[in-house]
C-alpha cells in the first residue's frame, strides 16, 4: 500500500513523473507550474530517473520537442500553465493530429491581459478543441492519480491521443495537503512499458510523419480523431477499475456528491467542488435537497452519463471559472448540450466565478443554492448568466 | 479512395511518398537546360529545394519535371560558361 505524505500539488505531480520515469521531458518554466519541472530536474540530476530533460527556449519549442521525441518512439511528458499553453496552441493540434500520446500537466492559470498569475480555467478551456483528452482534478491526490492513469489512457491502442491533467494554480499547486503516494514499483507495473507505433528511430521501417493532406483525405483523418475520442470513456473506466485495485481509490467519468435525490444541482470543476461539498452538507442538514456533479473527464465530454446523473434535478447551477465573452461559460454550454440529449428540461443558471484567482468562498456557494431554491419555487430564472463575487 | 477506417491513424505514411505526387503541375515557369553551357558544377543539384535535378555518375541530366515547381533558384545560381547560362526560365505554355 501507499505512503501518506504532506505534499503540494506541484510536488505530487513531480513525484508521479519520477515514478513514471518518462524517456523525454521538454519544458519551459512558467508560474504556477514551474516547480514541477524544477523538482523533476533534481530527480534527473540525481539519477533517480532515466529521462532526457530538454531545456528549451519557449513553450512552443517544448511541445515541438515533445512531438519529435514522441514520434521518435519515446514516452514523453511536460507541464505548463496559462500563456505557456497558449504559446503551445499550434503544436497541441499537431500532437493530437499525429496521434502522439504525450502527457502534460496543466496547472490552470488565467490568461493575460491584464497579467495575472493566479488560478482560473481560461487556459484549459481555450485548449478544449485541440484534440487532447482532458482530466480535471480537485486536489493533489486526484492530480497525482489522474497523471498516472493518463499515461495508460493516452497510450491505449484504441486511443493514441495526447492527454492533459488539469489542477488549479496555487490553490492546489502550492498548497500542502495530505496525500497517499503509491510505491514506485506499483506505479511502474501499472503503467507498463511504452510500445510506440511507427517510431521514427526504427530505421528498418522508415515512415513519414506530417505529410501534406489536401481536401481529398483531410476529413478522414479528423474523423479518426473523433473515433478515438469515442473510445476514451470506456478506457477511462477500465483504467480506473484497475487503478482502484492498486490504490483503493475509485474514479469515474465524473464525481457526484449527494446527487441521487437532489432537486438542486451544482456543476463545478476542480478545487471549488470541495468548498461546495461543505456548503451542501450545511444545506442538507436544513433539509434542502441539493447535490453536486464534478466532471473529471471534460474531453471527451460524457454527455449521456452526465445527463442521466442530472436527470432528477429541477434546477442546475453551472459554475464556470472561465469566460466566453458574449457567450455562456464553457461548462454551461456542455451541460446544456447534455440535458438536450435526454430531453429533461431543468431550469439552468450559469455563474462565472474565481477569475484570476478570485477566492471562491463558502458564502458564494450559499448564494448559488439560495438562488436555485428561489428558481425552483418561482419556476423563473431571473438572470441566466451572472458573476459571483464581482464588485459593481 | 480509402475511407477513414482503412487509413493508418495520424496520416503516417510510407517514407518517400512525396515521390508519388506530381507536384510539377504547380509550375508557372519551366527551367531549360542548355547542355553546351553546362560545366557540371552541380550547383543546381545542391540548390534545388526539391530533388528535380537528376544526377547519374556524378553528372547532371534532364530535369525531373514531375517534381520541379519552377522556383528558378537553379537558374539564378547557375554560373554557366563564359557568361552564358546553362539554365534559363521559360514561361509555361510558350
Amino acid at each position: 500500500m501507499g505512503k501518506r505524505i504532506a505534499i503540494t500539488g506541484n510536488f505530487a505531480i513531480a513525484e508521479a513523473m519520477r515514478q513514471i520515469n518518462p524517456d523525454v521531458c521538454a519544458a519551459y518554466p512558467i508560474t504556477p507550474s514551474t516547480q514541477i519541472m524544477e523538482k523533476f530536474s533534481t530527480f534527473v540530476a540525481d539519477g533517480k530517473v532515466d529521462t532526457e530533460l530538454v531545456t528549451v527556449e519557449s513553450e512552443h519549442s517544448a511541445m515541438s520537442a515533445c512531438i519529435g521525441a514522441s514520434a521518435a518512439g519515446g514516452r514523453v511528458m511536460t507541464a505548463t500553465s496559462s500563456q505557456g499553453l497558449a504559446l503551445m496552441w499550434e503544436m497541441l493540434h499537431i500532437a493530437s493530429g499525429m496521434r502522439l500520446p504525450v502527457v502534460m500537466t496543466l496547472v490552470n492559470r488565467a490568461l493575460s491581459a491584464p497579467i495575472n498569475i493566479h488560478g482560473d480555467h481560461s487556459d484549459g478551456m481555450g485548449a478544449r478543441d485541440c484534440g487532447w483528452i482532458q482530466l480535471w482534478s480537485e486536489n493533489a491526490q486526484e492530480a497525482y492519480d489522474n497523471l498516472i492513469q493518463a499515461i495508460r489512457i493516452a497510450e491505449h491502442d484504441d486511443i493514441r491521443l495526447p492527454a492533459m491533467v488539469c489542477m488549479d494554480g496555487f490553490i492546489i499547486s502550492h498548497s500542502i495537503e495530505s496525500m497517499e503516494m503509491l510505491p514506485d514499483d506499483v506505479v511502474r507495473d501499472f503503467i507498463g512499458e511504452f510500445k510506440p507505433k511507427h517510431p521514427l528511430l526504427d530505421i528498418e521501417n522508415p515512415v513519414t510523419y506530417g505529410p501534406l493532406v489536401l481536401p481529398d483525405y483531410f476529413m478522414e483523418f479528423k474523423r479518426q480523431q473523433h473515433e478515438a475520442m469515442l473510445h476514451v470513456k470506456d478506457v477511462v473506466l477500465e483504467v480506473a477499475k484497475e487503478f482502484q485495485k492498486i490504490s483503493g481509490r475509485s474514479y469515474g467519468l465524473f464525481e457526484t456528491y449527494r446527487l441521487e435525490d437532489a432537486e438542486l444541482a451544482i456543476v463545478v470543476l476542480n478545487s471549488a467542488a470541495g468548498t461546495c461539498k461543505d456548503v451542501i452538507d450545511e444545506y442538507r442538514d436544513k433539509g434542502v435537497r441539493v447535490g453536486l456533479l464534478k466532471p473529471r473527464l471534460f474531453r471527451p465530454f460524457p454527455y449521456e452519463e452526465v445527463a442521466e446523473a442530472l436527470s432528477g434535478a429541477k434546477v442546475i447551477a453551472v459554475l464556470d471559472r472561465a469566460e466566453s465573452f458574449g457567450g455562456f461559460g464553457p461548462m454551461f454550454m456542455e451541460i446544456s448540450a447534455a440535458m438536450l440529449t435526454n430531453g429533461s428540461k431543468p431550469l439552468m443558471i450559469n455563474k462565472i466565478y474565481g477569475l484570476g484567482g478570485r477566492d471562491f468562498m463558502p458564502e458564494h456557494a450559499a448564494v448559488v443554492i439560495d438562488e436555485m431554491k428561489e428558481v425552483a419555487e418561482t419556476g423563473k430564472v431571473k438572470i441566466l448568466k451572472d458573476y459571483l463575487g464581482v464588485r459593481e | 479512395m480509402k475511407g477513414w477506417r482503412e487509413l493508418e491513424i495520424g496520416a503516417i505514411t510510407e517514407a518517400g511518398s512525396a515521390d508519388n505526387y506530381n507536384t510539377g503541375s504547380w509550375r508557372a515557369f519551366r527551367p531549360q537546360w542548355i547542355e553546351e553551357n553546362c560545366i557540371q558544377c552541380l550547383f543546381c543539384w545542391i540548390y534545388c529545394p526539391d530533388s528535380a535535378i537528376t544526377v547519374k555518375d556524378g553528372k547532371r541530366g534532364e530535369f525531373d519535371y514531375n517534381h520541379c515547381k519552377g522556383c528558378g533558384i537553379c537558374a539564378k545560381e547557375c554560373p554557366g560558361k563564359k557568361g552564358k547560362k546553362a539554365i534559363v526560365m521559360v514561361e509555361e505554355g510558350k
Side-chain angles (χ1 to χ4, degrees), chain A residues 97 99 198 206-208 211 216-217 220-221 223-224 227, chain B residues 1-4 7-16:
Chain A
R99 308 295 297 275
H198 308 301
V207 288
T208 297
D216 55 351
Y217 272 107
E220 279 67 28
F221 291 112
R223 177 66 184 82
Q224 285 181 341
E227 185 68 13
Chain B
M1 285 170 90
K2 285 182 181 173
W4 64 267
L7 293 164
E8 181 61 44
I9 62 164
I12 298 159
T13 58
E14 67 194 276

Side-chain angles (χ1 to χ4, degrees), chain A residues 11-257:
Chain A
F11 287 172
I13 289 292
E15 290 289 347
M17 288 175 71
R18 177 185 61 73
Q19 294 179 315
I20 292 163
N21 192 9
D23 297 306
V24 177
C25 270
Y28 190 83
I30 183 163
T31 303
S33 68
T34 305
Q35 291 176 330
I36 295 174
M37 294 313 294
E38 194 178 290
K39 183 79 176 168
F40 187 74
S41 68
T42 68
F43 296 143
V44 175
D46 293 346
K48 291 188 175 163
V49 288
D50 310 305
T51 308
E52 182 75 32
L53 183 68
V54 189
T55 51
V56 287
E57 73 280 20
S58 76
E59 286 85 357
H60 189 280
S61 306
M63 187 46 63
S64 301
C66 286
I67 288 166
S70 185
R75 179 177 267 159
V76 181
M77 299 182 81
T78 187
T80 195
S81 290
S82 179
Q83 310 301 124
L85 187 76
L87 187 54
M88 281 181 185
W89 201 81
E90 174 188 354
M91 305 316 291
L92 295 178
H93 287 259
I94 293 174
S96 59
M98 286 186 183
R99 308 295 297 275
L100 301 170
V102 177
V103 174
M104 166 162 67
T105 302
L106 175 67
V107 183
N108 296 112
R109 167 185 151 183
L111 287 167
S112 295
I115 194 164
N116 176 295
I117 57 166
H118 288 276
D120 79 27
H121 303 159
S122 312
D123 49 4
M125 290 300 167
R128 183 190 68 180
D129 300 333
C130 291
W132 283 56
I133 295 163
Q134 288 191 351
L135 292 169
W136 293 70
S137 331
E138 182 179 326
N139 49 38
Q141 182 78 70
E142 287 191 11
Y144 170 87
D145 292 349
N146 278 342
L147 195 69
I148 292 165
Q149 292 175 73
I151 296 282
R152 286 279 302 273
I153 298 164
E155 293 174 3
H156 194 283
D157 268 344
D158 294 344
I159 297 178
R160 293 273 160 173
L161 285 174
M164 65 178 84
V165 170
C166 307
M167 69 167 166
D168 287 347
F170 288 108
I171 302 164
I172 301 305
S173 67
H174 285 62
S175 304
I176 296 177
E177 293 178 71
S178 162
M179 183 196 90
E180 193 181 276
M181 192 164 89
L182 295 165
D184 294 357
D185 58 331
V186 170
V187 174
R188 211 168 304 136
D189 291 347
F190 180 78
I191 61 168
E193 205 175 309
F194 177 50
K195 293 182 193 75
K197 266 190 181 177
H198 308 301
L200 284 172
L201 288 180
D202 177 7
I203 53 171
E204 300 295 316
N205 299 291
V207 288
T208 297
Y209 272 79
L212 176 71
V213 176
L214 292 173
D216 55 351
Y217 272 107
F218 190 81
M219 271 184 85
E220 279 67 28
F221 291 112
K222 297 297 114 181
R223 177 66 184 82
Q224 285 181 341
Q225 279 175 255
H226 179 62
E227 185 68 13
M229 279 289 190
L230 293 178
H231 294 294
V232 172
K233 281 192 295 193
D234 287 345
V235 173
V236 164
L237 292 174
E238 181 187 310
V239 171
K241 211 185 237 177
E242 274 187 59
F243 189 78
Q244 188 173 9
K245 281 185 205 149
I246 61 161
S247 68
R249 292 182 289 279
S250 72
Y251 285 94
L253 305 173
F254 48 83
E255 183 197 330
T256 59
Y257 186 76

Side-chain angles (χ1 to χ4, degrees), chain A residues 224-298:
Chain A
Q224 285 181 341
Q225 279 175 255
H226 179 62
E227 185 68 13
M229 279 289 190
L230 293 178
H231 294 294
V232 172
K233 281 192 295 193
D234 287 345
V235 173
V236 164
L237 292 174
E238 181 187 310
V239 171
K241 211 185 237 177
E242 274 187 59
F243 189 78
Q244 188 173 9
K245 281 185 205 149
I246 61 161
S247 68
R249 292 182 289 279
S250 72
Y251 285 94
L253 305 173
F254 48 83
E255 183 197 330
T256 59
Y257 186 76
R258 306 188 81 164
L259 190 64
E260 294 72 29
D261 64 337
E263 288 184 337
L264 316 176
I266 294 175
V267 178
V268 65
L269 281 169
N270 281 17
S271 64
T275 311
C276 288
K277 287 175 198 170
D278 277 351
V279 179
I280 285 170
D281 286 346
E282 285 171 27
Y283 275 79
R284 280 279 179 178
D285 290 345
K286 289 188 268 182
V288 180
R289 279 158 63 187
V290 57
L292 171 142
L293 186 143
K294 180 190 76 183
R296 174 181 180 234
L297 182 66
F298 184 72

Side-chain angles (χ1 to χ4, degrees), chain A residues 334-349:
Chain A
E334 299 302 347
I335 302 300
S336 307
M339 300 324 287
L340 202 66
T341 62
N342 82 342
S344 71
K345 286 182 183 163
L347 292 162
M348 291 178 64
I349 51 174

Side-chain angles (χ1 to χ4, degrees), chain B residues 2 4 6 19 24 34 38 43 47 49 58 61-63 70-71 73 77 80 86 89 93-94:
Chain B
K2 285 182 181 173
W4 64 267
E6 302 163 271
D19 199 34
I34 305 159
C38 180
F43 273 22
Y47 280 104
E62 235 343 312
F63 285 100
C71 68
I73 293 173
E77 297 298 336
M89 300 303 288
K94 280 196 177 167

